[in-house]
Amino acid sequence: HSYSADVAQKDYDQKGTAKGRNIKLGMDYSFADYVSEQILIHKQSPDAIIMRLENEGNPFATVVSTRTLYNYIEHGYIPGVERCHLPRGGRRTKRRYRPVRRAFKGDGKDIEERPHAANTRQEAGHWEMDCMLSGKGAGRSCLLVLSERKHREVIIKKLRSPRAESVVKALDRLERKLGAKSFRERFKTITMDNGPEFSDWRSLERSCVAQRIRTSTYYCHPYSAWERGSVEQVIGLIRRFVPKGSDIDKLTSKDIHGIQHWLNDLPRRILKGKSAKNASGRPEAA
């Protein structure tokens, strides 16, 4: 069948005036086009769109909740947008809990030794760290991802390989850029999993520019991803730009900084609609 703009418009109008309760969207095509652009081009979630409109001012006649906007998408009221375009396909993820295994490999500090301030998220400066790999058949490069537990600030660094020395070098470069004192204040603790890329905890903790400790590191229990849930969520968001199987070798510094900026500018419901950049009140780390 050939495409007809008139037929498509008639179908769109019919859906908006279907039997039952009238939807708020009505004939507000500018709002529908705005939502479509934000999702398809800027990769924003419906919740992020609603929070941004609430915080920055809504120029449209339509005022709806996040749940209502999801309903509009599911019923086809937003042009070009389907559930597959939404984070995780529009599905709500259920957190799966497994029993904590007390066995701890290595001689680093267990997460149970982590300061109370890090556990409660009441104090800034406590981070989670993980490596995001390309996938089968792709290059050796990976992304080192750090997420701050209170303000959800994100730092992304490209590594040539997921090796312990590569992770240490990345933190060394960041410390030299920020300065030893600033690094200590900004990175009070770092929590990570038991992967071999994080095995050299002594070098991760030791300053490369001063004769002292620069941070404290803690290991999660095996098979306990929820103990570093913030960075897991961030990696899920990065996958919108770098799907599994993508070759991270091909990502440029500009690409990575663009993803990092997008994450730090994203409104978060847990931050009452603020972005990490606004909540922390600090310039974004390079």
Side-chain angles (χ1 to χ4, degrees):
H1 298 286
S2 60
Y3 174 80
S4 169
D6 292 335
V7 172
Q9 186 65 57
K10 184 178 179 181
D11 179 63
Y12 177 85
D13 293 340
Q14 185 176 10
K15 286 179 177 178
T17 57
K19 288 183 180 180
R21 181 180 175 184
N22 292 333
I23 65 170
K24 293 182 180 179
L25 181 60
M27 307 293 283
D28 194 353
Y29 302 127
S30 58
F31 175 79
D33 290 340
Y34 170 79
V35 172
S36 179
E37 178 184 338
Q38 290 297 309
I39 292 175
L40 298 177
I41 298 177
H42 301 292
K43 299 186 182 297
Q44 298 288 305
S45 69
D47 198 33
I49 293 170
I50 296 302
M51 286 188 287
R52 200 179 293 279
L53 290 174
E54 290 172 350
N55 293 333
E56 299 177 3
N58 186 351
F60 305 103
T62 301
V63 179
V64 296
S65 67
T66 298
R67 183 63 263 170
T68 299
L69 184 52
Y70 269 103
N71 288 336
Y72 288 176
I73 292 168
E74 289 172 2
H75 286 85
Y77 299 146
I78 305 301
V81 178
E82 300 178 8
R83 290 187 61 165
C84 63
H85 298 122
L86 304 179
R88 301 180 185 86
R91 298 185 301 275
R92 289 187 176 223
T93 54
K94 244 186 183 179
R95 186 176 292 180
R96 297 180 181 178
Y97 290 97
R98 299 186 187 182
V100 174
R101 301 190 179 186
R102 297 297 171 187
F104 183 73
K105 296 181 179 180
D107 58 351
K109 295 185 289 294
D110 194 326
I111 192 174
E112 293 175 350
E113 302 175 57
R114 192 172 64 178
H116 180 68
N119 297 332
T120 60
R121 300 179 185 262
Q122 295 301 307
E123 179 184 57
H126 302 283
W127 296 72
E128 299 173 11
M129 181 166 67
D130 202 358
C131 272
M132 185 181 127
L133 305 178
S134 291
K136 291 183 179 180
R140 289 278 295 162
S141 294
C142 66
L143 297 180
L144 181 68
V145 183
L146 294 105
S147 176
E148 201 271 322
R149 285 175 59 79
K150 181 178 181 182
H151 296 129
R152 271 62 175 187
E153 180 185 356
V154 176
I155 296 174
I156 307 174
K157 298 295 181 183
K158 181 179 175 180
L159 306 183
R160 290 186 176 180
S161 64
R163 299 172 64 86
E165 54 264 36
S166 298
V167 177
V168 172
K169 286 179 180 178
L171 289 194
D172 287 350
R173 287 193 293 269
L174 188 56
E175 184 186 17
R176 292 190 187 99
K177 187 173 186 67
L178 295 176
K181 182 180 179 183
S182 179
F183 187 94
R184 285 196 307 273
E185 293 172 350
R186 199 157 183 173
F187 295 87
K188 296 168 184 173
T189 70
I190 301 176
T191 301
M192 50 206 180
D193 63 23
N194 292 272
E197 66 271 28
F198 303 129
S199 58
D200 191 4
W201 63 269
R202 290 181 178 84
S203 295
L204 292 174
E205 290 191 350
R206 185 171 54 244
S207 172
C208 67
V209 296
Q211 298 298 316
R212 60 178 300 169
I213 298 298
R214 63 184 174 189
T215 189
S216 295
T217 59
Y218 299 89
Y219 288 99
C220 297
H221 294 98
Y223 310 104
S224 304
W226 63 86
E227 293 180 341
R228 46 184 174 79
S230 293
V231 75
E232 287 285 319
Q233 289 286 337
V234 167
I235 288 176
L237 292 170
I238 295 174
R239 286 295 184 194
R240 300 195 71 189
F241 300 88
V242 190
K244 289 185 178 179
S246 301
D247 191 351
I248 293 177
D249 279 345
K250 297 179 180 178
L251 289 179
T252 65
S253 298
K254 184 178 179 180
D255 294 332
I256 294 169
H257 187 266
I259 297 170
Q260 177 179 297
H261 178 75
W262 182 89
L263 288 163
N264 288 325
D265 194 49
L266 183 69
R268 303 291 188 100
R269 183 64 63 183
I270 201 164
L271 300 176
K272 298 181 179 179
K274 291 183 177 181
S275 65
K277 181 176 63 177
N278 292 334
S280 67
R282 280 192 311 225
E284 188 175 338

